């Protein structure tokens, strides 16, 4: 049997001895949002370090644990800390938690991230539902032998992001008075922020936001038939758009500034999904 499948299965089997996540909403928390995982009621926590085949996260501020609990009445399985391609994990590792969530019986996935805005009408602090994406990461978790247990060799990506849940999320956000947009996310490898020339290229080919995550998870989710939506927090205008240099500090400060809004959106959305 396929090694990647076996690893995912062993990880899921282990997690299932600690918790029953079937029917939960999976939540992948990006930069600045990790604390939402601390706010779940009746939490059951499993450290990544204890899960077979799960690697370690290396990003400061990412905790590295799974938390199952209730959020506003909804059963939620939170990944506090994700694996990024730029950390040196291969794509199959980056996509592993998504596949494990599928094996655990999660019913839908909400992915979140911090991103740079390259749509000129965006502002730092804008939230954006990802409508569609461009995989510019130069790799793909579905590369190699197809894992039939998860899905087909040539998965369709016409509707990679779930429209019904995205529409629902847009409505919830508008009702909350949030500056909410929909757009195209372009995934770069990182870890450097893009060059101004790369951002002009991204704008020309139709990107609204750029970032270094989420694309592998969407690909893996779509492949295995896990409904998935994704929300970017535009933490900064992308390189070359303001004349200022980019910094991780600015990314963190903006994520921190809008996190209460972001958290409320997820809290309300999860309860309605
Ligand atoms: N580029 C890539 N990733 C990011 C950015 C950016 O400008 N901001 C936050 N994550």
């Amino acid at each position: 049997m396929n090694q990647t499948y076996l690893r995912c299965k062993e990880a899921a089997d282990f997690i299932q001895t600690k918790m029953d996540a079937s029917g939960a909403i999976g939540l992948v928390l990006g930069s600045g949002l990790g604390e939402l995982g601390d706010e779940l009621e009746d939490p059951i926590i499993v450290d990544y370090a204890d899960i077979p085949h799960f690697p370690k996260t290396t990003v400061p501020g990412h905790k590295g644990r799974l938390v199952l609990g209730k959020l506003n009445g909804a059963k939620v399985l939170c990944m506090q800390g994700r694996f990024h391609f730029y950390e040196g994990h291969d794509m199959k590792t980056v996509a592993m938690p998504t596949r494990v969530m599928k094996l655990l019986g999660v019913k839908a996935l909400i992915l979140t991230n911090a991103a740079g805005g390259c749509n000129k009408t965006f502002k730092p602090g804008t939230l954006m539902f990802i409508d569609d994406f461009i995989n510019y990461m130069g790799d793909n978790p579905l590369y190699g032998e197809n894992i039939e247990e998860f899905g087909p060799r040539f998965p369709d990506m016409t509707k990679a992001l779930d429209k019904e849940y995205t529409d629902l999320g847009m409505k919830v956000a508008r009702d909350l008075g949030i500056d909410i947009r929909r757009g195209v996310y372009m995934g770069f490898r990182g870890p450097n922020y893009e060059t101004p020339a790369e951002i002009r290229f991204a704008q020309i080919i139709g990107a609204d936001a750029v970032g270094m995550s989420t694309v592998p998870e969407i690909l893996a989710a779509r492949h295995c038939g896990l409904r998935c939506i994704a929300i970017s927090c535009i933490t900064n205008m992308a390189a070359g758009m303001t004349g200022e240099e980019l910094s991780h500090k600015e990314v963190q400060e903006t994520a921190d500034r809008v996190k209460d809004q972001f958290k409320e959106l997820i809290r309300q959305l999860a309860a309605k999904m």
Side-chain angles (χ1 to χ4, degrees), residues 128-236:
M128 181 190 94
F129 273 95
I130 300 179
D131 241 350
D132 199 354
F133 66 96
I134 297 167
N135 179 8
Y136 194 63
M137 299 180 84
D139 204 343
N140 188 318
L142 310 181
Y143 182 78
E145 180 192 351
N146 184 49
I147 307 176
E148 291 294 328
E149 287 84 350
F150 286 127
R153 172 75 291 185
F154 300 112
D156 181 63
M157 290 291 151
T158 312
K159 297 176 180 168
L161 284 306
D162 191 275
K163 181 162 183 323
E164 185 189 337
Y165 286 147
T166 300
D167 287 346
L168 178 65
M170 290 294 293
K171 180 174 180 335
V172 170
R174 280 198 208 98
D175 289 348
L176 285 167
I178 292 174
D179 175 20
I180 190 76
R181 310 291 292 265
R182 282 174 110 121
V184 173
Y185 176 91
M186 182 168 173
F188 282 76
R189 256 175 195 246
N192 59 289
Y193 293 116
E194 299 72 28
T195 65
E198 286 168 340
I199 294 305
R200 290 194 296 278
F201 166 61
Q203 288 168 327
I204 288 167
I205 67 171
D208 296 293
V210 293
M212 308 173 197
S213 65
T214 309
V215 166
E217 289 109 322
I218 299 172
L219 288 166
R222 183 67 183 146
H223 180 240
C224 69
L226 178 57
R227 296 176 76 176
C228 154
I229 58 173
I231 316 168
S232 292
C233 172
I234 306 301
T235 50
N236 56 282

